[in-house]
């Protein structure tokens, strides 16, 4: 599923790149990779670090296999992937052989609103909260159906107020509150235009570098995978990489 060009919330241009080239990372060797133990008293799947680009890396930062997903919170295929693969990915991350990084690919204003809330609790709950937002996708869509007039009103608000208004229409503030994000936290995060701009620029950079055609899209060691959008199609690629 493509990103919408020019997300209305902040009037940011997210024009799809006409051309781009995948970064050439280390090619999968196919040779088995040795497991790496996590520091005592920890697990790799609970080891989360912020990246310079503003995302969150799960696992061993020196893992031989680096899996990156470009995903959208409003994409049904991404929801399905989250349900099928989240626990399996954590198992692989816990071996220390692979790290995982979810990079938000913004397609629409609800996507941006959800992304701001998912980051609101910080790095340690980003992945559990993201999984829960995916699980809530269908219920969220039901709430926004028939709300065209409310969304028209949102368009008249100042940019910093739009994500908060959308979150209320979609029931996302209450949903986040039930999962550890206070109302004050949510309000502050939803008004954070600097974070919104950084996320939008990340989409622009991804489009330029990788020519992303839809979500979910995956990189292994910096190389974009062709025709891979499900856990079943990703598994063989991970085995080829040595997992």
């Amino acid at each position: 599923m493509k990103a919408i060009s020019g997300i209305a919330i902040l009037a940011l241009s997210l024009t799809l790149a006409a051309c781009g080239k995948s970064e050439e990372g280390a090619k999968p060797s196919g040779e088995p990779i040795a497991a790496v133990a996590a520091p005592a008293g920890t697990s790799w799947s609970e080891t989360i670090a912020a990246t310079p680009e503003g995302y969150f890396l799960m696992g061993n930062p020196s893992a031989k296999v680096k899996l990156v997903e470009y995903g959208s919170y409003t994409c049904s295929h991404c929801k399905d992937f989250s349900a099928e693969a989240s626990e399996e990915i954590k198992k692989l991350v816990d071996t220390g052989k692979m790290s995982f990084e979810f990079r938000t690919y913004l397609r629409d204003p609800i996507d941006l609103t959800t992304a701001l809330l998912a980051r609101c609790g910080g790095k340690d709950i980003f992945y559990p909260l993201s999984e829960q937002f995916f699980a809530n996708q269908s219920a969220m869509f039901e709430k926004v159906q028939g709300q065209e007039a409310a969304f028209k009103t949102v368009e008249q608000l100042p940019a910093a107020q739009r994500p908060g208004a959308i979150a209320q229409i979609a029931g996302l503030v209450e949903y986040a509150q039930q999962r550890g994000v206070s109302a004050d936290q949510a309000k502050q995060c939803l008004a954070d235009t600097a974070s919104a701009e950084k996320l939008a620029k990340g989409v622009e950079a991804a489009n330029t570098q990788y020519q992303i055609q839809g979500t979910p899209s995956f990189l292994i060691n910096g190389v974009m995978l062709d025709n891979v959008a499900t856990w079943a199609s990703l598994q063989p690629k991970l085995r080829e990489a040595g997992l």
Side-chain angles (χ1 to χ4, degrees):
M1 293 185 179
K2 286 281 188 90
I4 289 179
S5 178
I7 288 181
I9 285 185
L10 292 172
L12 294 171
S13 175
L14 295 181
T15 307
L16 293 173
C19 61
K21 185 178 180 181
S22 296
E23 177 184 350
E24 289 298 321
K27 301 285 186 179
S29 66
E31 297 179 4
I33 298 170
V36 180
T42 67
S43 68
W44 284 127
S45 62
E46 294 178 342
T47 302
I48 313 295
T51 71
E53 296 78 20
Y55 302 109
F56 299 114
L57 179 78
M58 176 197 301
N60 176 8
S62 300
K64 298 292 185 182
V65 176
K66 294 173 171 51
L67 175 65
V68 172
E69 174 189 356
Y70 281 99
S72 157
Y73 290 111
T74 59
C75 164
S76 61
H77 299 296
C78 299
K79 176 193 72 172
D80 293 342
F81 181 81
S82 175
E84 294 168 3
S86 290
E87 292 305 315
E88 297 303 317
I89 285 174
K90 289 173 194 173
K91 291 175 186 177
L92 289 173
V93 168
D94 276 333
T95 67
K97 303 176 185 182
M98 184 184 89
S99 64
F100 176 66
E101 185 180 338
F102 179 82
R103 297 180 182 176
T104 308
Y105 192 81
L106 306 176
R107 299 171 52 246
D108 53 64
I110 295 175
D111 228 346
L112 176 56
T113 299
T114 309
L116 291 172
L117 284 173
R119 301 165 60 81
C120 198
K123 64 183 179 66
D124 292 329
I125 68 167
F126 171 75
Y127 282 102
L129 196 51
S130 290
E131 290 171 28
Q132 290 171 55
F133 276 127
F134 277 122
N136 183 57
Q137 188 187 96
S138 297
M140 183 271 295
F141 282 147
E142 288 179 9
K143 285 184 179 293
V144 301
Q145 283 181 354
Q147 297 286 345
E148 289 82 1
F151 278 101
K152 285 289 185 184
T153 301
V154 169
E155 293 176 7
Q156 308 307 313
L157 296 173
Q161 295 178 22
R162 294 176 196 172
I166 289 172
Q168 291 292 347
I169 295 169
L172 295 176
V173 172
E174 182 180 358
Y175 191 79
Q177 280 183 262
Q178 294 168 352
R179 286 152 183 82
V181 177
S182 71
D184 287 341
Q185 271 184 299
K187 182 178 179 180
Q188 183 176 2
C189 291
L190 289 165
D192 186 354
T193 54
S195 289
E197 289 170 359
K198 190 168 186 176
L199 287 169
K201 288 177 181 177
V203 175
E204 291 179 333
N207 286 332
T208 299
Q209 186 168 11
Y210 300 115
Q211 249 187 307
I212 292 176
Q213 299 299 309
T215 53
S217 287
F218 300 95
L219 310 175
I220 292 181
N221 293 346
V223 177
M224 178 64 66
L225 303 181
D226 293 329
N227 301 315
V228 174
T230 65
W231 178 236
S233 57
L234 178 60
Q235 282 179 299
K237 302 295 184 182
L238 294 174
R239 286 194 289 269
E240 289 172 14
L243 298 178

